[in-house]
Amino acid sequence: RCLVFDGADDYVSVADYAELDLPYKAPLSITLWFRFADGIPTNRAALISFTYAYSVNFLGASNPRIETDFEGSGGLFQTPPLAISA
């Protein structure tokens, strides 16, 4: 195992290295496993977020999709919602 999270205040921090900088419009893949402790939320819920930078959101039980928002100097960029596969 590389990382283990217990679900309470976990995070990973990586120092800033030029080798980790992505070229403009470089493809990026993220794999995310999540489980809601109190059942599936009926409304939008943030899975990961950093204020005024990015967020990964679950859109709710009636629309089980994931949406990603990025905010920067050019404004807000929002990905089309992606269906969740079980």
Side-chain angles (χ1 to χ4, degrees):
R1 286 190 242 182
C2 178
L3 301 169
V4 178
F5 300 103
D6 65 4
D9 299 326
D10 297 320
Y11 68 94
V12 174
S13 180
V14 178
D16 187 13
Y17 291 105
E19 292 84 7
L20 298 176
D21 291 345
L22 295 174
Y24 181 68
K25 293 190 176 183
L28 175 67
S29 296
I30 298 171
T31 301
L32 178 68
W33 292 272
F34 61 92
R35 180 179 64 156
F36 296 106
D38 299 322
I40 297 173
T42 56
N43 298 311
R44 182 182 178 114
L47 301 173
I48 300 171
S49 66
F50 187 77
T51 307
Y52 304 115
Y54 59 84
S55 65
V56 177
N57 305 296
F58 176 75
L59 298 184
S62 64
N63 187 15
R65 300 187 183 285
I66 298 290
E67 177 181 84
T68 307
D69 302 335
F70 299 95
E71 191 167 345
S73 60
L76 178 67
F77 172 75
Q78 193 170 64
T79 63
L82 303 171
I84 296 173
S85 61

